[in-house]
Amino acid sequence: MPKSWRRETKPHKFCPGCGHGIALKALGQAIDELGLQGIAVFGCDIGCSLLAWDFFDLDTVQTHHGRTIPVMVGLKRARPELICIAYMGDGGGYAIGAQHLVNAATRNEKITAILINNTQYGMTGGQMAPTTLPGQKTETTPYGRDPEITGYPTQGPEMVAAITDERAYVARGTVARPGQLREFFKRALQNQIDGRGFSFVEVISACPTNWRTNAKETWEWVEKLMPTYFRVGELKVPEALRGKGVEVKDGETS
Amino acid sequence: MTGNEVVAWAALAAGAEIMYGYPITPQNEIMHYWTRLAPKYGRMFLQTEDELSAGFTTIGGVMGGRRAFTATAGPGNVLMQEPMAMAEMMRLPVVVIIMQRGGPSTGTVIYSQQEVTLTTLGGNGEGFRIVYSTAGNQELFDYVIKAFNTAWKYRFPTFVLGDGYQAKMREPLVIYDPEIRGLSPVPTEPFLGKPGVPGVDRLPGHYRNTYNTEEELYEVIMGLARAYEAIIPEVVEFEEEAVEGAELLVMSHGVVSRAVKSAVRALRRDGYPVGYFRPITLRPLPVEAMRRRAEKVRRILVAESAYGQFARLVKEALYGLQVEIVPLFKPGLGINPEEIYSRAQELIKGGEKGAEHIAATHA
């Protein structure tokens, strides 16, 4: 258990098989290894991510509707010495809160944004998200998502990489490779520690509850299906971070 | 100097450290002046992508322990209610300046008093917030300074409710150092990022606005309600004039109260028994003082540049009293002293007949 986890609130509140626990473990390890417990502030959103409001021994604020980015931006501007982590789901980052992600990235806000992509809205009961896969059945696409009507899955990190300057760090990790994910988080946080700029990590995650998948099907989904739409790896690495830490190779597991 | 400029100077005098803002008329010059002053005095500014962000970044700044504020108007005030509902739930000392414009929706960019309901009670929740309604530039200066102290002392979101006229009109102003008048800035304290390692040296600060059970939420809201009720006697403010022996009381707030005051003085001079009453805090309302005055008059004329938003507050405050409430509603339009004079004169002269007619109209 990472040192920065709050033992009193464990076991955590997420559903069995949920990817949040793995992502938050990797984040906890990254915070531990960088020694950030005394200066990191964790902001979480509405939706499943709100269940992390007392997850860490870190000062934490839970907000709603994709507003975790502006809360962390406001905090970072007011207290630049703090390490501000905005943690959200795909709705908070790509739908209802997309304007905040886009503009924080454009302004090169010196925060770290982490977005959990589980291809649908978990907390509200499994509706379509911007990340829902073509053909995927959700409560609001009961016959499968038709890209002609609702478009293709949002390529979040690709978008953020395109609109940020060279100081930004952008990666997409997966809960299927927690070791690699931890390294991505460390590099994203290091980018903030160094005061370079915006850092963004999307995490491919699992929602067996709303996917209605068993363990085997869940992992096939995460490991095989989702990476066909969402490429895992680092999309943008500032010069100062190159050659350090992980280099990502296709098919790597850790 | 214009009201918007006054706000920027007042925020500076109040020790505001950072403004987060998004442009909307008629309050834009607050940030125009702030961005000119701020670098010279070591203060900060961020222009956000919208009012949602302006409200939430202000929350972030406040939670970091900074005297942070924002300003907005009209449809921006609508968007601002989402962050302010969170500030209410977490009792965050957020300061917001509102310069009311006409509505609904885009409305006009000029003037109204149509943001009373939104500012006093807006957002999902009970409206545990403090709202000062100012009547001119000197009051803007005084109450912006006061708002920061009220917010940080009592920890409820605090609003200064101005309007398009106040924002744009030029009036003389006495600028002062609040310290000289004994108004020392109430110290701030961080909610997030306090000294020490959470879980090692201290407990972590875990702030949420989500609750899992009805009972849990009930406890939290009742706690807020008790805290809010307790501060009401310390916070409420009002102004009255010529109330002794009045048969008719004219109630108004904000800039309209200047026309009312002027009309009441003229009416008194001409021998009409008319009094003036103006709540300065619209939330909480000075209910006791309002009832004390209302009990002694036959009628109350409510003058406002809206279709009864303020009157609704008045009616609720006076519930159960045998006093007739007569409207003078001009949504989006200014009200001048002559209109108030002639309406009050009609009411005094008209006696019971006039009253019936008015009561029917109002119903």
Side-chain angles (χ1 to χ4, degrees):
Chain A
M1 189 180 287
K3 200 158 58 65
S4 52
W5 274 25
R6 185 157 178 81
R7 282 166 194 278
E8 289 84 342
T9 60
K10 305 296 171 294
H12 60 62
K13 306 178 184 90
F14 297 102
C15 298
C18 173
H20 274 286
I22 300 169
L24 290 167
K25 182 170 184 180
L27 179 61
Q29 289 168 336
I31 288 167
D32 287 356
E33 287 176 32
L34 294 169
L36 300 179
Q37 198 174 340
I39 54 166
V41 176
F42 182 75
C44 56
D45 217 70
I46 205 170
C48 296
S49 86
L50 71 79
L51 297 173
W53 70 270
D54 62 351
F55 197 95
F56 291 105
D57 265 334
L58 298 175
D59 282 352
T60 301
V61 56
Q62 173 262 326
T63 180
H64 47 249
H65 294 156
R67 312 306 175 209
T68 182
I69 284 181
V71 172
M72 287 299 108
V73 166
L75 180 64
K76 184 72 181 184
R77 291 266 176 167
R79 297 280 302 278
E81 76 278 15
L82 299 176
I83 298 300
C84 300
I85 303 163
Y87 185 84
M88 72 210 80
D90 34 31
Y94 299 151
I96 195 166
Q99 76 272 33
H100 306 312
L101 175 63
V102 166
N103 286 282
T106 308
R107 289 195 302 259
N108 196 37
E109 296 287 353
K110 294 171 184 63
I111 66 165
T112 299
I114 296 170
L115 184 146
I116 304 299
N117 170 2
N118 60 8
T119 75
Q120 44 75 53
Y121 292 167
M123 181 65 84
T124 47
Q127 297 84 3
M128 187 187 77
T131 48
T132 296
L133 307 179
Q136 183 181 343
K137 287 180 181 172
T138 72
E139 292 297 336
T140 49
T141 56
Y143 305 108
R145 180 178 190 174
D146 180 354
E148 285 306 310
I149 299 168
T150 56
Y152 284 91
T154 299
Q155 300 292 314
E158 286 77 3
M159 174 186 70
V160 174
I163 62 175
T164 44
D165 70 31
E166 69 284 354
R167 293 168 294 173
Y169 174 84
V170 185
R172 183 187 280 117
T174 166
V175 294
R177 297 184 206 170
Q180 182 197 65
L181 185 60
R182 181 190 68 229
E183 293 304 311
F184 288 168
F185 286 156
K186 276 170 69 178
R187 285 153 75 76
L189 289 165
Q190 190 62 50
N191 206 41
Q192 184 181 169
I193 294 164
D194 296 343
R196 242 183 318 272
F198 193 68
S199 48
F200 181 67
V201 182
E202 182 190 285
V203 181
I204 290 178
S205 185
C207 181
T209 301
N210 285 305
W211 291 350
R212 298 171 173 81
T213 47
N214 63 25
K216 184 170 176 289
E217 291 161 350
T218 301
W219 281 101
E220 277 175 1
W221 192 293
V222 168
E223 290 191 285
K224 294 192 180 130
L225 184 57
M226 286 178 71
T228 63
Y229 293 92
F230 307 115
R231 195 176 68 80
V232 174
E234 291 183 307
L235 285 88
K236 196 164 195 172
V237 181
E239 183 64 42
L241 285 178
R242 282 183 207 146
K244 294 176 190 171
V246 283
E247 294 292 330
V248 182
K249 299 168 193 76
D250 276 349
E252 182 189 38
T253 54
S254 66
Chain B
M1 146 180 336
T2 66
N4 283 333
E5 189 172 3
V6 167
V7 170
W9 280 101
L12 194 69
E17 293 164 279
I18 184 163
M19 178 186 185
Y20 303 88
Y22 186 75
I24 187 162
T25 310
Q27 62 79 44
N28 296 309
E29 295 84 3
I30 295 174
M31 67 183 77
H32 299 176
Y33 292 117
W34 179 261
T35 49
R36 280 153 183 75
L37 293 168
K40 294 180 184 169
Y41 294 91
R43 317 295 170 88
M44 295 173 282
F45 175 76
L46 173 66
Q47 183 170 325
T48 58
E49 58 274 16
D50 55 28
E51 288 87 352
L52 289 162
S53 185
F56 282 105
T57 46
T58 305
I59 282 174
V62 163
M63 293 194 88
R66 301 287 186 209
R67 228 178 237 96
F69 76 107
T70 186
T72 191
N77 192 3
V78 174
L79 295 181
M80 198 63 79
Q81 295 313 315
E82 189 194 314
M84 288 313 111
M86 177 167 150
E88 180 182 324
M89 175 60 102
M90 295 187 182
R91 283 193 71 177
L92 301 176
V94 173
V95 172
V96 185
I97 318 301
I98 307 288
M99 292 300 187
Q100 298 168 88
R101 56 189 259 174
S105 194
T106 307
T108 72
V109 299
I110 307 164
Y111 162 80
S112 83
Q113 293 188 315
Q114 293 176 277
E115 294 172 48
V116 167
T117 304
L118 188 62
T119 308
T120 54
L121 298 169
N124 55 337
E126 306 293 338
F128 298 128
R129 41 176 75 185
I130 294 153
V131 181
Y132 294 112
S133 174
T134 56
N137 288 6
Q138 189 64 53
E139 283 195 358
L140 274 174
F141 191 81
D142 298 343
Y143 282 96
V144 166
I145 289 169
K146 186 175 264 186
F148 282 98
N149 277 353
T150 304
W152 282 94
K153 184 173 178 188
Y154 299 112
R155 306 251 164 145
F156 284 103
T158 303
F159 296 76
V160 176
L161 187 68
D163 59 67
Y165 289 170
Q166 291 180 62
K168 301 286 185 180
M169 73 186 175
R170 286 182 191 277
E171 287 191 302
L173 176 74
V174 177
I175 291 184
Y176 52 85
D177 177 352
E179 295 269 7
I180 288 166
R181 299 203 179 179
L183 297 165
S184 302
V186 172
T188 65
E189 195 191 327
F191 294 70
L192 302 169
K194 289 180 181 167
V197 178
V200 179
D201 307 319
R202 62 174 174 88
L203 286 173
H206 284 153
Y207 295 92
R208 58 172 167 156
N209 70 93
T210 180
Y211 291 89
N212 296 328
T213 68
E214 294 144 318
E215 290 76 11
E216 203 178 8
L217 178 66
Y218 173 82
E219 288 304 323
V220 171
I221 301 294
M222 290 308 284
L224 289 175
R226 281 189 293 271
Y228 190 76
E229 294 287 333
I231 68 162
I232 288 174
E234 292 175 49
V235 171
V236 290
E237 287 187 45
F238 63 95
E239 190 184 68
E240 58 184 7
E241 194 175 301
V243 288
E244 294 306 324
E247 287 174 27
L248 173 73
L249 195 63
V250 189
M251 278 200 190
S252 59
H253 75 97
V255 82
V256 173
S257 62
R258 292 168 64 160
V260 171
K261 194 187 276 186
S262 168
V264 165
R265 283 178 185 170
L267 285 156
R268 278 286 180 173
R269 187 191 60 219
D270 299 343
Y272 295 103
V274 181
Y276 160 93
F277 188 96
R278 167 205 172 199
I280 295 173
T281 47
L282 292 186
R283 183 92 180 135
L285 263 188
V287 174
E288 278 180 35
M290 286 168 78
R291 291 181 74 88
R292 204 163 53 235
R293 286 299 160 211
E295 273 167 357
K296 297 192 176 126
V297 298
R298 291 170 60 218
R299 287 184 195 141
I300 293 172
L301 176 65
V302 178
E304 61 173 312
S305 300
Y307 197 73
Q309 298 194 22
F310 172 60
R312 211 171 291 141
L313 300 178
V314 173
K315 276 189 257 183
E316 190 192 340
L318 304 184
Y319 178 75
L321 293 185
Q322 294 299 310
V323 62
E324 186 188 5
I325 296 170
V326 183
L328 178 52
F329 299 160
K330 297 186 73 180
L333 291 179
I335 302 178
N336 60 40
E338 290 74 23
E339 292 168 84
I340 296 157
Y341 185 102
S342 60
R343 195 76 186 92
Q345 194 184 34
E346 270 172 35
L347 288 170
I348 295 283
K349 284 183 175 171
E352 293 307 316
K353 196 178 168 193
E356 276 167 23
H357 171 70
I358 289 149
T361 309
H362 189 41

